[in-house]
Amino acid sequence: MKFNTKTIHGGQQHDPAYGAVMPPIYQTSTYAQTTPGGHKGFEYSRTHNPTRKALEDSFASIENGKFGLAFGSGLAAIDAVVKLLKSGDEVISTNDLYGGTYRLFTKIFEGFGIKFHFIGMQNADKIEQYVNDNTKLIWVETPTNPMMNIIDIKAVARVSKKHNLLLAVDNTFATPYLQRPLDLGADIVMHSATKYLGGHSDVVMGALVVKDKKLAEKLYFIQNASGAVCGPQDSFLVLRGIKTLHIRMQRHCENGEAVAKYLKNHPKIEKVYWPGFEDHPNHNIAKEQMDSFGGMISFVTKGNDYDKAIQIVEDLNFFTLAESLGGVESLAGHPASMTHASIPKEEREKTGVVDSLIRLSVGIEDVDDLIEDLKQAIG
Ligand SMILES: Cc1ncc(COP(=O)(O)O)c(C=O)c1O
């Protein structure tokens, strides 16, 4: 089955009760049993729910995995992955990553005795310097949020396999429309389904997909034991979102390219970060591991002018100033004070998250209107 068919049919069956084409929203916490243990595969909705199951099967299908898991948020999904580890274990993570992931690693899990090494992974050979007997997991975000760095998943997978480590890839920015990490050697794919998978800025949700049955069993155990699951209504909404993922992504990519090129030629803009540019440091890897370059773009104003950056985000109209990304509508963000405020300024600036950096999530509106909007705001 090809990707554009998987988004609609992957892992889906018509509802056995009445043949409903979309899975009903099974808004129930529990299920009748005829005798203790005598049930139809569903006992309690933290453990299993038919609407969530339909969504989890869709996640598995679109990521070319075997097992999907849905959580109450992207961070809850990441939390479940780190709970595979124990005190004394070590993680090597990309240094340029979503601020909330950094906060979870450093403010929660370091307190439980897990050690994190945050490193630039643009050159995968560097990772081996940090591997020791305690290393258990490599955490990769690509493209990274918000600097749009590209990490070579295949090259990192060679390191993880050589040292018998788990490799998890946060595929939120690319989505499986552009990049399928399990095919490139990753063990776990993670999503903030809040973003492109949901696609309409109306749900907060997380996803994991794996191929290996033993790993899936451990993660299902954590999902049930820790209990950070999503509800049936949200499951329905994200399943509906996935059905148009391919056509939304196609337009996000087209609009993203036009906006990136417009900004690059603008005299008041210093630098534009978008992996589709030939002078992007890892453009060749992006070309190899992604099918196109997506609709996420970051840029800095000439002279690193903080006041100018703030004026731009305030004056935009179609780009709403807001956290989040990946919805049909365009959003603009100021990472240093919003999504990445939880990373200390010193750390943030090492990776390029300066105070004049603006991040755009380019939506699927008419691109002429988006460019007109940027034109009036930048001046
Ligand atoms: C790349 C990335 N990963 C993870 C997350 C966390 O997901 P959530 O907000 O759904 O918990 C986000 C949220 O912005 C993100 O951008």
Side-chain angles (χ1 to χ4, degrees), residues 72-78 97-101 139 141 143-145 170-173 190-195 203-206 323-325 339-340 359:
S73 70
L75 284 176
I78 301 171
L97 81 170
Y98 171 58
T101 309
W139 186 270
E141 216 180 90
T144 61
N145 180 0
D170 182 335
N171 204 25
T172 300
F173 269 36
M190 176 265 152
H191 278 274
S192 169
T194 315
K195 312 295 172 358
V203 174
V204 173
M205 188 187 285
E323 305 262 351
S324 205
L325 60 109
T339 44
H340 291 68
R359 191 191 74 183

